[in-house]
Amino acid sequence: MSAEFDAVILDIDGTIWNTTGIVAVAWNKAVEKTGYGVRKVNAQILQKEFGKTMDVIAADLWPELEKEKRDILLAECCTEEQIAIRNNDVDITYPGVVDTIVELSSQENFYIVSNCQNGYIELMLEKTGLAPYVKDFECFGRTGKGKAENLIILKDRNQLSFPLYVGDTQGDCNECIKAGISFAWASYGFGTASSYYKEIKKFSDLKNILK
């Protein structure tokens, strides 16, 4: 166990893996299926949006749609996304993520908090083989709450005192500040961060932080 931290809480998109190419194709399929005539997306657009809660992403992408139609489209996007990720057989994890978590799991407790939809974390754990190494998780899709609140929920539920959160965006940084949790910036991911406890240029750098 690290002398400074009693747990590591991980973000998913831009930290563990990059699904944006797969998800863009899936979401565009959903756009076609619903027939609403809204704009399609690509990986670059999604990289700027991922990390926000699902309702905010939908509002950013399709502001012209009334909420009812936006919710229908978002539900269809999530359905197509789950199918596409489940069927994907290409390794989309960032280098060293799985090996580092497996290596450190004998002395560190790993958790996940994400702004994703319900079922996404379970699918990621299944696809990456990381399920045995993650003690607990929480997400927007399950609680309807933002990342700071979910961090506090998970921290309290597992009686954690000094967890370290690893994420890749300024939004992650802001939520950690709200929750009173230390933030390590995965600079290889989608975004930037103005303040952080440590920068992680590659995931295996986590080993040096947790010495």
Side-chain angles (χ1 to χ4, degrees):
M1 185 73 65
S2 163
E4 204 160 352
F5 304 105
D6 62 351
V8 179
I9 309 174
L10 301 171
D11 176 41
I12 297 181
D13 295 303
T15 301
I16 290 177
W17 68 6
N18 180 359
T19 62
T20 53
I22 297 165
V23 172
V25 173
W27 284 25
N28 288 338
K29 190 172 177 182
V31 167
E32 289 175 5
K33 276 176 109 172
T34 54
Y36 291 153
V38 293
R39 73 162 174 160
K40 292 186 175 180
V41 298
N42 58 38
Q44 289 70 37
I45 291 170
L46 291 181
Q47 283 183 23
K48 293 175 183 173
E49 294 294 329
F50 274 22
K52 301 174 185 176
T53 56
M54 298 300 290
D55 54 344
V56 172
I57 293 174
D60 283 353
L61 294 177
W62 307 296
E64 70 275 25
L65 285 182
E66 59 191 60
K67 186 178 183 304
E68 186 180 353
K69 286 188 175 180
R70 208 158 57 216
D71 289 347
I72 291 169
L73 175 52
L74 185 59
E76 192 63 47
C77 284
C78 290
T79 298
E80 292 296 336
E81 175 182 315
Q82 292 272 111
I83 294 167
I85 293 173
R86 187 171 294 284
N87 291 338
N88 172 60
D89 56 6
V90 177
D91 183 6
I92 53 173
T93 58
Y94 288 102
V97 169
V98 174
D99 290 345
T100 300
I101 291 173
V102 171
E103 181 183 336
L104 292 176
S105 64
S106 60
Q107 66 253 27
E108 304 294 341
N109 294 318
F110 285 95
Y111 301 85
I112 290 172
V113 170
S114 169
N115 280 331
C116 63
Q117 68 272 27
N118 204 15
Y120 187 77
I121 298 176
E122 294 92 326
L123 181 57
M124 181 279 292
L125 293 173
E126 179 189 327
K127 293 295 289 188
T128 59
L130 287 172
Y133 309 101
V134 173
K135 304 281 187 187
D136 192 11
F137 57 83
E138 200 51 88
C139 68
F140 169 78
R142 198 156 69 173
T143 67
K145 299 179 185 298
K147 189 165 279 187
E149 290 172 284
N150 283 332
L151 281 167
I152 293 168
I153 288 169
L154 182 131
K155 179 174 177 268
D156 291 347
R157 187 165 69 215
N158 292 279
Q159 299 179 305
L160 306 177
S161 299
F162 306 105
L164 175 70
Y165 188 78
V166 182
D168 65 305
T169 67
Q170 184 63 45
D172 290 333
C173 176
N174 296 343
E175 296 299 298
C176 285
I177 291 169
K178 284 186 207 170
I181 289 174
S182 296
F183 171 71
W185 174 42
S187 59
Y188 57 81
F190 298 156
T192 59
S194 60
S195 62
Y196 41 85
Y197 166 73
K198 294 282 186 183
E199 178 184 355
I200 296 174
K201 293 182 179 177
K202 57 184 186 301
F203 192 84
S204 58
D205 290 346
L206 194 57
K207 294 186 220 177
N208 298 324
I209 294 175
L210 298 173
K211 279 181 179 175

